[in-house]
Amino acid sequence: MKVDVKELKPKKAIIQIEDIKPYFVNALRRIMISELPKLAVNEVVIYDNTSALFDEIISHRLGLVPIPTDLSLLLFKNECVCKGKGCPNCTVRYTLSKEGEGSVYSGDLLPAEKSWAIKEDKIPIVELYGDQRLILEVEAVLGRGRDHAKWQAIQAPAYRMEPIIEFDKTKLDDVKEFITKLPENLVSIKGNKLVLKDVTKLPIIESYISKENIDYITIERDPTKFLFHFETDGSFTAKDAILESVNILQKKYEELGKLLKNLK
Amino acid sequence: MIIPVRCFTCGKVISDVYEDYKKRYEDYKKAISAGEKPKETPKQILDNLGLDRYCCRRMVLTHVDLIGEAAPYE
C-alpha cells in the first residue's frame, strides 16, 4: 500500500492510495459516514421565543450547527459513568439569549467552558425584529451518523479509480488529430496511452469521444489506484477525522479477531 | 424563509457564506446596471466562497430570503 497526501486543508483532504482493492477504501468511507462520533445539539430548552420561526425550526437549525469535538474528553451518554443522567463527561451545555433587532448567530451560543466555543460562529439561526426575544439552553451529546445526519462529521467522502486511456497503436495519426480538437493541455501521448493532466477532467475527454464516435480509444479504470477525497463540517480537522476513522475500523477488526479466538 | 443551515444533498454548511454572497452579488448587480465592468461575476463569487459542488451552489443561488416578510408576525 502506498499513500500520498495530495491536499490537506483544515476542512478538506485529497489522498491518493495505491496497491489496494476497492472494498478497503469503501470500508473506510462508510466508517466516516456512519461510525465517526461527533457532538451535536440533542436537547433544547426554550424559555422564550417571540421570533418569526417556530420553536421546532430553531431547534432543528441548532442541531445542524457543527460543534468542535475532542473525542479524548468525551463519552457517549449511555455509556457514561453518570448512567445517562448527563454530566460534564458526556454533555456540553450552551446558553443563548438575545433581544432586539438583529441576527442571532451560532456564535451567540455561549458554552459553560471556553474550550467548547463554537468555531463556525457565522451561521444565522434566526433574525429578530423590533423587541422580539430568544432565550434558550441547549445540550450537545455525542452521536453517530447512522442515527441522524446531524451527527455525520464528514461530508461527501468519495473515491475515484485512476483512468487508463488506451488507443490502437496503428491509428496514432487519428489520435493526434483527435487531440487537436480537445481543449489545450488536457492530455499528452505516452506510448499507446493518453495521460490526463488533471484526473477530474475525465468527463471532458469522454464527451469528445462519444461526440466524435471514436472506437479506437478505450477508457478503463485501474481498481488498485484511488483518489480519495472528503470534507469535514468543522467539528474535526480533516487530519483528525481520517486518523480517528482508521482507529475505529482497526478496533472493529480487533474485536472481531478476539471473538473468533473462541471458535473451536 | 431563512437560508438552510446545510446543503440538502451533501450536508456542507452553506448558511455562513450566504450574507457575504448577497452583499457581493448586490455589488455585481450595481456595477452591471451602472454599465461598469463588475469586479467579480457570480461564478467567481461562488468559487471564492468554496462552493465547489453544484448541490451547494444551487442552495445559495436559488434561495428566496423571506424572513423579513414573516418577521412582524410572532
Side-chain angles (χ1 to χ4, degrees):
Chain A
M1 200 194 303
K2 263 200 293 188
V3 173
D4 182 17
V5 180
K6 294 269 176 193
E7 190 186 324
L8 187 65
K9 285 183 188 163
K11 284 169 70 178
K12 191 183 173 191
I14 303 176
I15 294 166
Q16 189 168 29
I17 309 174
E18 283 177 35
D19 300 331
I20 202 149
K21 286 274 163 63
Y23 62 77
F24 189 85
V25 189
N26 197 35
L28 181 60
R29 184 187 71 87
R30 295 188 59 147
I31 291 280
M32 283 179 160
I33 293 175
S34 60
E35 297 285 336
L36 182 65
K38 68 161 269 194
L39 276 177
V41 170
N42 199 39
E43 238 159 82
V44 183
V45 183
I46 295 183
Y47 296 114
D48 198 3
N49 172 24
T50 53
S51 74
L53 296 186
F54 291 118
D55 295 359
E56 292 89 331
I57 297 176
I58 291 174
S59 310
H60 177 239
R61 291 178 73 82
L62 288 169
L64 295 175
V65 172
I67 298 172
T69 308
D70 187 345
L71 288 177
S72 62
L73 299 177
L74 289 159
L75 289 164
F76 278 95
K77 200 173 178 184
N78 56 353
E79 293 164 10
C80 182
V81 283
C82 66
K83 288 174 190 151
K85 274 185 212 145
C87 68
N89 289 326
C90 61
T91 51
V92 182
R93 284 168 199 284
Y94 295 87
T95 53
L96 187 154
S97 101
K98 199 133 195 207
E99 191 176 349
E101 202 104 2
S103 281
V104 180
Y105 291 103
S106 55
D108 294 326
L109 282 170
L110 298 176
E113 248 177 273
K114 260 204 176 140
S115 54
W116 295 110
I118 289 171
K119 281 177 195 148
E120 309 274 322
D121 54 1
K122 276 268 156 284
I123 300 171
I125 305 295
V126 66
E127 269 175 50
L128 300 177
Y129 286 79
D131 58 352
Q132 289 175 353
R133 221 172 351 172
L134 183 65
I135 302 169
L136 50 82
E137 206 178 275
V138 300
E139 202 179 284
V141 293
L142 279 186
R144 291 195 172 101
R146 61 179 182 223
D147 298 321
H148 193 288
K150 70 181 175 185
W151 282 309
Q152 186 185 323
I154 292 180
Q155 266 74 53
Y159 53 87
R160 66 172 86 229
M161 298 178 208
E162 196 174 282
I164 309 168
I165 314 166
E166 276 181 322
F167 59 84
D168 192 349
K169 246 196 166 165
T170 55
K171 301 224 170 150
L172 187 63
D173 292 333
D174 291 336
V175 173
K176 275 184 181 161
E177 201 201 318
F178 172 64
I179 288 176
T180 59
K181 287 175 191 160
L182 296 175
E184 259 178 77
N185 284 329
L186 187 72
V187 287
S188 53
I189 300 178
K190 223 179 200 179
N192 69 331
K193 278 180 190 151
L194 293 177
V195 182
L196 277 166
K197 284 256 161 63
D198 180 0
V199 228
T200 58
K201 297 271 157 62
L202 182 69
I204 297 178
I205 189 165
E206 274 176 336
S207 69
Y208 273 91
I209 288 172
S210 69
K211 188 177 143 203
E212 308 269 330
N213 268 329
I214 286 165
D215 56 356
Y216 47 82
I217 299 178
T218 54
I219 297 178
E220 271 168 34
R221 274 154 232 265
D222 184 350
T224 62
K225 282 185 184 172
F226 299 92
L227 208 56
F228 187 82
H229 51 88
F230 64 90
E231 280 174 28
T232 76
D233 62 359
S235 28
F236 296 100
T237 60
K239 191 184 150 198
D240 285 349
I242 192 164
L243 291 178
E244 203 58 56
S245 306
V246 170
N247 254 338
I248 293 167
L249 187 59
Q250 189 185 352
K251 267 184 208 149
K252 280 194 184 288
Y253 279 127
E254 274 168 12
E255 198 186 339
L256 182 67
K258 259 184 219 157
L259 291 171
L260 289 179
K261 261 182 202 156
N262 302 329
L263 281 182
K264 278 188 186 149
Chain B
M1 192 65 145
I2 188 167
I3 181 85
V5 176
R6 288 169 186 252
C7 168
F8 290 150
T9 305
C10 70
K12 182 186 168 77
V13 176
I14 47 109
S15 54
D16 51 347
V17 298
Y18 181 70
E19 275 177 23
D20 199 8
Y21 173 81
K22 215 161 126 185
K23 219 170 87 199
R24 284 157 81 169
Y25 179 71
E26 287 301 320
D27 289 346
Y28 164 80
K29 252 171 89 178
K30 250 185 231 161
I32 289 286
S33 58
E36 293 163 19
K37 197 171 174 273
K39 211 170 78 202
E40 49 190 358
T41 61
K43 176 183 186 284
Q44 286 165 331
I45 302 173
L46 289 171
D47 286 340
N48 188 258
L49 292 173
L51 302 172
D52 304 326
R53 289 179 289 275
Y54 60 64
C55 60
C56 310
R57 291 166 92 94
R58 63 97 206 256
M59 296 299 297
V60 170
L61 271 180
T62 61
H63 177 247
V64 184
D65 216 23
L66 286 178
I67 179 91
E69 259 147 80
Y73 312 100
E74 284 182 7

